Amino acid sequence: MPKYVYSFTEGNKDQKDLLGGKGANLGEMTGLGLPVPPGFTITTEACRYYMHHGENPDELAAQVTAAIDQLEATFGRKLGGAQEPLLVSVRSGAKFSMPGMMETVLNVGLNDQSVHGLAEFAGDERFAWDSYRRLIQMFGKTVLGIDGDLFAEALDAKKAAVGAASDVDLTAEDLKDLVTRFKAIVAGQTGAAFPQDPRAQVDAAVVAVFNSWNTDRAKVYRRRERISDELGTAVNVQSMVFGNLGPDSGTGVAFTRDPATGHTGAYGDYLPNAQGEDVVAGIRNTLSLDDMAKIDGKSYDQLRQIMSTLENHYRDLCDIEFTVERGKLWMLQTRVGKRTAAAAFKIAVQLVDEGLITLDTALERVTGDQLSNLMFPQFDPAAPKKLLTKAMAASPGAAVGQAVFDSPTAAKWAAEGRTVILVRRETNPDDLSGMIASAGILTARGGKTSHAAVVARGMGTTCVVGADALHVDPVARLFRVGDATVNEGDVIAIDGSTGEVFLGNVPVVPSPVFQYLDEGLAEALAGAGGDGPAAELVMAVHRILSHADAVRRLKVRANADNGEDAARARRMGAQGIGLCRTEHQFLGDRRKLIERLILAHDDPTRTEALAALLPLQRQDFIELFTEMDGLHTTVRLIDPPLHEFLPDLTHLSVAIAKREARGEVIATAERELLVAVERQHEANPMLGLRGVRLGLTVPGLFALQVRAIAEAAATLIKQGKSPRPEIMVPLVGSYVELDLVRDEAERIIKEVSQAQGEELSIPVGCMIELPRAALVADEIARAAEFFSFGTNDLTQTTWGFSRDDVEGGFFGRYLELGVFQVSPFETIDARGVGQLVERGVKLGRQTRPEIGLGVCGEHGGDPASIHFFNRVGLDYVSCSPFRVPIARLEAGRAAVTAEEGSGTA
């Protein structure tokens, strides 16, 4: 027979899947011999049964009866009995903490008879009737689904009628009247009296907790935290203890270390003569644990001893809830405490130094997201702020500047020494110069993988996107939000960690961790004053990140397109460049040259364009290879679709038509341009003439780039340097495509080698970014010396998505419906796209065992995706320079986790 109910004496901390986090930890504390009010846990399996069948399993009722019988025997009291009644709480408890998302019902078992027994037992009639009032109110709202405002309004009316300033001023007689009113509300709203059967109360409360798993707020929380909807929640039924029975009673919350700073010691709040909800509600000012020591030294000493026991047992910061009932200390809950990012690193290192954990465990205790938060400046939390709106946090940081509404203005003002925030409805590649010049980027449209978000993260620029409350008017050069109007030049502030947008200046606090990562340990320690909290944090990050570098298998490269980005990537710890996007080198003034090359209809025009581009490209690569001297530098040949280099067909057609309507003469060159653009126009350019297709159909384009790469390498070798370029061909779907490009590349490399008198060894490989390429990777590997998985395009082509369209379209709805737990452009879709990556790895190595394998999409810097890439056997990940430290940390964490999973730890 399935077992759905476990006594606290049967559980332990390793049973969170079955008993939930709260139940597992209550079992663990019970097993340690700590004073835990007895109780039992109804398993997550029972919840899942209920969710799938709409009713409890048949065996559950009898098992709950047996568990209640055991509780009654332990206490010698009857659930809801007339004399000294046993009362219980019914609480949720999922595997992963979901604070405030699910339901709790306290004082279960009280009824019209047992309330008198409770009053006699407590020696306090007011306490008993207040407990009964709380039960009816909580049960009515949570279990019966009655509008909570009805109870609140009745409570307020009673206080007003008797002149009570707060709940605690109500007398026993007032509360008796209120109980009568509350029961009338229940009867009026449900057509039935408040249930007097204690067991019926328990059963209904259990079902209410099960149902609370699927409330809207719980679903939203799980989506945000990436918690599976299939887990379900456990239910904990625990005997009640009361901290509001007089001056020798109380309740509190304690932390074994400061969860905000990581400092060792005892931190927490205590309220004498109070219940736990009073601490949370803030209806009374709490006392410190030091104050508790003065009030009840015996209980305080016992609490400190238990805190030490729990921290040593869990080997981590513990969050503890406790109650003192008439001088006896009871432990109501413990869990590994949540903490700030800074505290996470500090506590991990402290526990290593105290001999409680290893460096491997310390590495597992921190995350890439936490490190990311520590890298960016943050607004001073104590500063006054005027919030305009809150949108999607796309790239962390805190930026303050003057609002500007186009890229040229941003670049111009920045050159004049002004700090600017670029505000756009959405950005496009032509905005790059303004984005680079801006301290922050704010868009009204787009998602986390929109152009603005991706580019901003790559540059380490603060960015907030999808601020749909903003009405941006680029012509009037202003935006409106609510009643506020922000004109160009007005100062705004954006928080890329929270998505908040503020009016006016907000002071920021710099990050010593970023200084360490960008400038080095000595400089960061000097900037932090040599000691103190900032220096302690820098040292903690340094120790853990150094250990990650020592244990990781995955190498970490960077996506960088110029010498400046490459230099920063190297300072951040990059072990090479995994992606140089050469198309970025053709923006700005060079765009006209590449446009002429693409539209050329004769050899002289084409040759002229190539001749102008070659020295520019060669110098680009000299700068890049110089900064990455001795390290692999993977250069992707030009990839984007034609429309990014050609005039917009609609705009060009309309402009010419308007001029014709005014009788203006249209030059022959302009008409030829329109004809050429019409000829090259594509309905779906992302699946059209781009990548290898462009290189094979536009004579001389790829040859130009290969020659520039080879000549740059030869130039540096003559200077005694050690460039290690690699040529990567994009959008390959066929072995023949790559073979054609490789033959031409090898011919050009040989020519340059002979002409320069330097031996050149430049590997040629390709991107795997089409499903077909992954499926025939064994064939493609015959011509490829390395693969780099382009997971951005691979995700688009596998799902049939256009990222630029769907992110701002239906993705939000898909997340609400649970189609996605997270955007597949943010974290790799392991079951779909991931299988193609895994197959490509397997087939590539079958043909060429020594083939190099990496990834260069946005996923290369995503913590969850890095663990996947480590598991499937890639050699490296590549990400933006600013995410290199995050990738280094997560690659180390992935290695430690993999060792544990294989049993070698």
Side-chain angles (χ1 to χ4, degrees), residues 150 262 339 405 550 559 562 608 613 615 632 637 659 739 741 773 832:
L150 296 176
R339 65 211 70 184
F405 293 89
N559 302 340
N562 54 60
E608 181 183 354
L613 284 168
H632 293 282
L637 303 182
R659 291 171 59 195
D739 205 35
V741 174

Side-chain angles (χ1 to χ4, degrees), residues 60-122:
L60 183 60
Q63 293 181 24
V64 169
T65 297
I68 291 174
D69 289 345
Q70 181 61 47
L71 272 183
E72 292 177 336
T74 299
F75 282 95
R77 287 150 52 185
K78 192 77 173 173
L79 178 67
Q83 302 296 322
E84 294 191 17
L86 172 66
L87 305 181
V88 297
S89 62
V90 180
R91 301 174 184 262
S92 62
K95 176 181 179 181
F96 300 107
S97 178
M98 296 172 56
M101 294 300 109
M102 292 182 291
E103 304 297 359
T104 291
V105 185
L106 304 179
N107 305 325
V108 174
L110 276 176
N111 57 27
D112 293 348
Q113 284 73 45
S114 60
V115 66
H116 298 289
L118 180 63
E120 184 177 349
F121 166 72

